[in-house]
Amino acid sequence: MGWHVNLLTLFPDMFPGTLGHSISGRALENGLWSHEAIQIRDFATDKHNTVDDTPFGGGAGMVMRPDVIENALLSCKKPGRNIYLSPRGTPLTQSLAEELAQEDALTLLCGRYEGVDQRVLDVHNFEEISIGDYVLSGGEPAAIILMDACIRLLDGVMGNNETVNEESFSNGLLEYPHYTKPDPWVDAHGNTHAVPETLKSGHHKNINAWRQEKSLELTRKRRPDLLKKNDKKT
Ligand code: ADE
């Protein structure tokens, strides 16, 4: 039936957003994934449709109410795994994206304001996921990024499966550099740049070795943490 995502948000118009374009947009049209953006405010119970309130203990900002979020969550026909996008969550990685792409359904809670009442996160087993060590003004762009990373891994979404296997992270290394025509290329300053000879040799063993070496070199320079993490030979 395809991968399904429920989005609990105060800004349902933000979806599908960029996911309605390009590869993910085509996959959406083809029914390979589906989504439902649920307006949290529709589940408020007072006449002002209040979704947030001041934090107990004091401090800046507002906190989203557990009752309203629970009502929104219970409206999902097929909730699947509950995820709250938050900078204090488990980091999103390629292997976590692979895991989430295997699920039938996800429910992504997109917070605004200072946060969400902890009790509803605990009661409904929300896993917290972060897309990186920086703070966004809301969870919606993070939800779109998480979904994008999953959608391109769904069966039938990418034309060429090797693309998925060779790129950065799927082997624990950063991807090697790419080149295309023209060769040589003369830039706007009049300088001439040739494509590396090995790539034009037609010798596939040498080409693979060259690419592996470039991958290692880039990873060593930019992301030495990846080499340590995966215990890759340098
Ligand atoms: N919401 C705000 N910042 C975020 C982040 N870095 N990751 C996930 N959700 C967020």
Side-chain angles (χ1 to χ4, degrees), residues 85-87 129-132 134-139 142:
L85 282 313
S86 148
I129 296 179
S130 168
I131 62 156
Y134 41 80
V135 181
L136 306 173
S137 53

